[in-house]
Amino acid sequence: MDDSYDSGPFAWPRTQPVQPLGRPGSQSPPGWDSVGEGPDRGPGDPAGQTPGPPPQQDPDEPAAAPAGKKRKHFWRELLIIVVVAAALTLLVKAFVVQVYRIPSASMENTLQVGDRVLVNKLVYHFRSVARGDIIVFSGQDSWGPDAPPPSDNGFVRLWDEVLSTIGLDSSQTYYIKRVIGLPGDKVACCTGGKVTVNGVPLTENSYLYPGDAPSFPFKAVTVPAGHLWVMGDHRGDSDDSRYHTGNPGGGAVPENEVVGRAFLIIWPPSQLRDLPIPNTFSQAALHAGPAGAAVIGAENVGGMTLSAVAAVPVAGAAAGAGVLGAPWLLLRRRRG
């Protein structure tokens, strides 16, 4: 049976193409066909909603840096900390405190061969050298050997002076001894088997090498102005002022060649201790001499206080810079 239909003119309904979701001009998302018809999405489906504008960044919040740039900043800041630590180390070594190694047995048993001591370079800017101090000094212009003359090349001479100032290199020979006599003192041996200073016998049992005599006999020596009479604690094995009477100063060493005062043994750990002035040098009669008034109270002035200031080992300066710099570096990284 044939279906009947109206043979008159027929108009197909006109349909509008469906526009894809999103901003005008954007391309169809995955899943849409060429006319924009895609899978059915209900009104409650978030994916079927038109997305709004992108969120705005808080102007007070810094933009996140790329990972590569963060790493570059980290290493740059770490390098700054290392350079600052090295500079602090050199400054401390040049002007405040320096480590010296004991090369001989002349100061036994106070100082053993191989011990490392801290030498305070600052203390004598605040007080005079005191009897009983253990000092490090150069043999220049006294015991020798004298350093060779400076180079004729100005650049080389300047470079040598810089290295010598910061303690990295030196052409001079250094010694470590105990101060017995100050400028103007009369030192002699022996009265009652003891060394005397201005006629006052010294009781040296607390620091002399066991079994050593205080000294072989020698005539009274008046210490020249600007010089110091020094002796080792191991009197039987110490090449000191007694053996250099034919040198400039009559065996005494120039005060201006003193590097500083040894005040602390830092190595080995079993030897860790300070180096105080022995009690025998506190006798009131000693301070009545020509140089006595200048050193009254020297055991305290520039002693504990200045030693505490200068007791920053060379490595401690770098560690201090690291302790101060690490939190700053971490904070910078966290903010980044």
Side-chain angles (χ1 to χ4, degrees):
M1 182 177 190
D2 296 334
D3 291 338
S4 60
Y5 61 91
D6 187 1
S7 58
F10 179 82
W12 291 93
R14 188 176 180 181
T15 59
Q16 298 292 333
V18 179
Q19 297 295 328
L21 298 179
R23 294 188 299 275
S26 63
Q27 296 182 355
S28 300
W32 292 83
D33 58 17
S34 60
V35 295
E37 296 177 350
D40 295 335
R41 289 189 172 93
D45 188 351
Q49 300 177 5
T50 303
Q56 299 294 325
Q57 184 175 356
D58 186 351
D60 295 333
E61 182 178 343
K69 187 172 291 186
K70 287 183 179 180
R71 286 194 297 270
K72 183 177 180 181
H73 288 172
F74 171 79
W75 289 112
R76 183 176 63 186
E77 291 167 355
L78 181 61
L79 178 61
I80 291 173
I81 291 176
V82 172
V83 170
V84 170
L88 288 176
T89 299
L90 294 177
L91 286 174
V92 168
K93 188 175 181 181
F95 302 108
V96 182
V97 66
Q98 186 169 346
V99 178
Y100 282 86
R101 179 184 177 275
I102 305 304
S104 71
S106 68
M107 286 294 293
E108 289 181 345
N109 277 338
T110 305
L111 300 174
Q112 305 288 341
V113 176
D115 283 357
R116 267 69 169 180
V117 296
L118 282 183
V119 174
N120 187 336
K121 295 183 172 183
L122 198 62
V123 62
Y124 296 134
H125 293 283
F126 295 88
R127 72 160 171 90
S128 302
V129 180
R131 302 182 190 90
D133 279 351
I134 297 176
I135 61 171
V136 171
F137 59 93
S138 167
Q140 188 76 18
D141 300 327
S142 58
W143 299 0
D146 289 347
S151 172
D152 294 333
N153 187 310
F155 177 79
V156 174
R157 183 169 61 251
L158 177 61
W159 180 246
D160 290 343
E161 290 177 357
V162 170
L163 292 180
S164 178
T165 299
I166 61 180
L168 294 180
D169 186 30
S170 179
S171 56
Q172 298 184 4
T173 302
Y174 293 94
Y175 302 87
I176 183 166
K177 304 290 181 185
R178 189 182 298 276
V179 176
I180 302 297
L182 299 177
D185 283 350
K186 290 184 179 181
V187 183
C189 190
C190 300
T191 300
K194 297 180 179 181
V195 173
T196 62
V197 178
N198 298 325
V200 180
L202 300 178
T203 302
E204 302 183 279
N205 299 336
S206 64
Y207 58 86
L208 285 188
Y209 186 83
D212 267 9
S215 178
F216 58 79
F218 61 89
K219 295 181 180 180
V221 175
T222 300
V223 182
H227 287 69
L228 305 166
W229 185 269
V230 296
M231 298 167 70
D233 290 354
H234 192 348
R235 299 288 163 81
D237 191 19
S238 176
D239 183 15
D240 50 40
S241 291
R242 299 169 298 168
Y243 292 93
H244 291 274
T245 53
N247 294 107
V253 298
E255 283 187 286
N256 59 7
E257 294 297 337
V258 174
V259 174
R261 176 184 179 234
F263 67 95
L264 185 69
I265 304 173
I266 61 170
W267 189 265
S270 59
Q271 283 280 86
L272 181 63
R273 60 187 175 88
D274 66 342
L275 298 169
I277 296 177
N279 291 332
T280 190
F281 294 98
S282 299
Q283 299 178 73
L286 281 175
H287 301 301
V295 295
I296 293 177
E299 295 86 350
N300 297 321
V301 178
M304 292 299 294
T305 302
L306 290 178
S307 293
V309 172
V312 182
V314 173
V323 169
L324 293 175
W328 171 77
L329 181 59
L330 293 175
L331 180 60
R332 294 267 299 181
R333 290 192 68 196
R334 186 173 181 182
R335 287 180 176 177

